[in-house]
Amino acid sequence: MTTENNPRAILDWEHPTPPTDLIFDDGEPLESNRHRIAINVLIQSLQQAWADRNDFFTGGNMFIYYSSAQVRNQDFRGPDFFTVLNVDGTNSRQGWVVWEENGRYPDVIVELMSPSTAKIDQTVKKDLYEQTFHTSDYFVYDPFDPTSLQGWHLDRNQQYQSLTPNERGWLWCQKLGLWLGTYEGTIDRETAVWLRFYDVAGNLVLLPEEAAAAQVARLAARLRELGENPDLL
């Protein structure tokens, strides 16, 4: 298959000696503690939802390397949250190196905006994810602005089309088969309007600790029911 027929074909990583001196930490801190929690919420909830699957990788605040020119220029690109489908999720990775992953790019990316990054997230990065990564679903959200959620889906012409929110303001992520929407609550002792996943029926995708608490509550309710109705024993 030629590069004309395959828009994902990158000549750089076909070179017999791809770059090996990769940097996986630029020392730059996250915008805020809320941004850190928001990243973990997305990663942990997706892992909880797909706990029985090993055919995907999800990460956040990790560098993605896609060409030797990018390495030379130290043009670091580290999406706040991304997911790659149909890969071995059990592999340990410091970052996502395209030429070590059979040319695979993220299928879904979420950038958590701030006043200093919003313009880049909606222009430069959006163009990169559309034209070079060909990432199917791209979303942006500012954890300090509950009205900021936007999303795009790649059409047949490899161009992003804006997603239309449903009546709840949620956006459909086709690749994951999940909704992305807001949820007000306290996580890690911080109360905010978080970006969360919802299943196709509109149920909140739980974090591991939320799922454990729900299981305990169900067990307690069942024990109360048995105590009140011993004939059920």
Side-chain angles (χ1 to χ4, degrees):
M1 181 178 291
T2 66
T3 56
E4 288 80 5
N5 295 328
N6 180 8
R8 287 186 179 236
I10 304 297
L11 295 179
D12 280 326
W13 52 260
E14 293 177 349
H15 194 277
T17 56
T20 57
D21 55 339
L22 304 180
I23 298 172
F24 292 102
D25 184 0
D26 61 359
E28 291 292 329
L30 292 172
E31 291 288 336
S32 70
N33 186 55
R34 187 174 296 184
H35 282 76
R36 177 191 64 80
I37 296 172
I39 291 171
N40 291 337
V41 164
L42 293 173
I43 294 172
Q44 293 173 10
S45 59
L46 185 61
Q47 289 176 337
Q48 173 68 27
W50 291 354
D52 59 342
R53 294 176 53 174
N54 288 320
D55 63 342
F56 74 100
F57 177 81
T58 186
N61 196 35
M62 297 171 61
F63 289 155
I64 293 179
Y65 283 105
Y66 56 92
S67 76
S68 59
Q70 174 211 8
V71 176
R72 289 194 301 271
N73 296 332
Q74 293 192 346
D75 183 18
F76 301 123
R77 294 298 174 192
D80 291 315
F81 168 87
F82 69 93
T83 301
V84 190
L85 304 177
N86 302 314
V87 296
D88 186 352
T90 64
N91 288 348
S92 177
R93 298 170 170 96
Q94 290 182 279
W96 189 264
V97 184
V98 168
W99 55 85
E100 293 179 357
E101 303 285 354
N102 297 316
R104 292 300 312 280
Y105 287 81
D107 292 290
V108 178
I109 289 177
V110 177
E111 293 287 7
L112 298 170
M113 300 185 295
S114 67
S116 64
T117 68
K119 184 176 181 180
I120 292 176
D121 290 336
Q122 296 174 84
T123 56
V124 175
K125 287 187 177 181
K126 178 172 170 280
D127 290 346
L128 175 70
Y129 301 153
E130 175 192 57
Q131 299 167 18
T132 301
F133 286 22
H134 301 284
T135 293
S136 293
D137 295 293
Y138 176 48
F139 302 88
V140 295
Y141 179 70
D142 183 342
F144 290 90
D145 181 0
T147 67
S148 62
L149 179 60
Q150 299 178 71
W152 299 267
H153 179 72
L154 205 65
D155 67 14
R156 294 180 180 179
N157 296 318
Q158 303 295 298
Q159 295 180 335
Y160 275 147
Q161 300 299 327
S162 296
L163 293 171
T164 302
N166 68 2
E167 65 280 1
R168 299 181 180 180
W170 301 351
L171 299 178
W172 179 246
C173 181
Q174 183 172 314
K175 273 292 182 178
L176 299 182
L178 297 169
W179 292 98
L180 265 173
T182 54
Y183 168 86
E184 185 172 2
T186 302
I187 302 174
D188 285 357
R189 299 185 296 180
E190 181 152 356
T191 301
V193 179
W194 305 101
L195 187 63
R196 299 289 300 265
F197 289 117
Y198 294 85
D199 67 20
V200 67
N203 301 305
L204 181 68
V205 175
L206 301 180
L207 292 164
E209 59 269 26
E210 293 171 335
Q215 185 175 10
V216 169
R218 287 193 297 269
L219 179 59
R222 180 59 175 165
L223 291 174
R224 287 195 300 271
E225 181 183 4
L226 292 175
E228 296 171 358
N229 302 279
D231 291 341
L232 295 176
L233 292 171

